[in-house]
Amino acid sequence: MEFLMAILIGVLFTAAVYLILSRSLLKIIVGTGLLSHGAHLLILTMGGLGGASPPVLLEGVTDFADPLPQALILTAIVISFGVTAFILVMAYRAYAVHKTDNMNLMKGNDEHD
């Protein structure tokens, strides 16, 4: 199962880097979202995928799942949601000012630096 997750994480990272390197601002935002999802899956996979143990310690249970990866992923999801919302607002404002989402057309020239 870890091998399949490693392949999926690699595909997500590859797609994210491809989208981040594009010229469209909307594709860059989708790429950052894919990158964060790949990072969440990476943290989850590194924490272990063994689902035989219960997630909480009950009476008489000697082994249990580690709750730290789930807590880290939950925190990372909240942070990535906030960052994505901020980037979307900034992209909307840039589109309202420049009337384009092409990064090459938005860059300044020597007259306006």
Side-chain angles (χ1 to χ4, degrees):
M1 185 69 173
E2 283 87 4
F3 182 71
L4 292 175
M5 290 296 285
I7 291 173
L8 179 64
I9 292 167
V11 168
L12 283 175
F13 280 158
T14 304
V17 169
Y18 176 76
L19 289 173
I20 288 173
L21 293 176
S22 67
R23 293 182 181 154
S24 174
L25 195 56
L26 197 56
K27 288 181 182 179
I28 293 171
I29 295 170
V30 171
T32 58
L34 283 178
L35 188 68
S36 68
H37 287 311
H40 299 157
L41 284 175
L42 180 65
I43 293 170
L44 182 66
T45 305
M46 295 306 291
L49 296 176
S53 301
V56 288
L57 183 61
L58 298 175
E59 198 66 38
V61 176
T62 58
D63 62 337
F64 52 92
D66 186 17
L68 186 62
Q70 288 87 4
L72 287 174
I73 292 170
L74 183 62
T75 306
I77 288 171
V78 172
I79 291 171
S80 67
F81 176 74
V83 168
T84 304
F86 178 72
I87 292 173
L88 279 172
V89 169
M90 294 298 291
Y92 176 74
R93 179 69 179 141
Y95 182 78
V97 170
H98 298 290
K99 303 290 188 231
T100 184
D101 69 339
N102 191 345
M103 294 298 287
N104 285 342
L105 296 176
M106 282 195 274
K107 67 181 181 181
N109 54 18
D110 291 337
E111 293 179 14
H112 301 291
D113 283 343

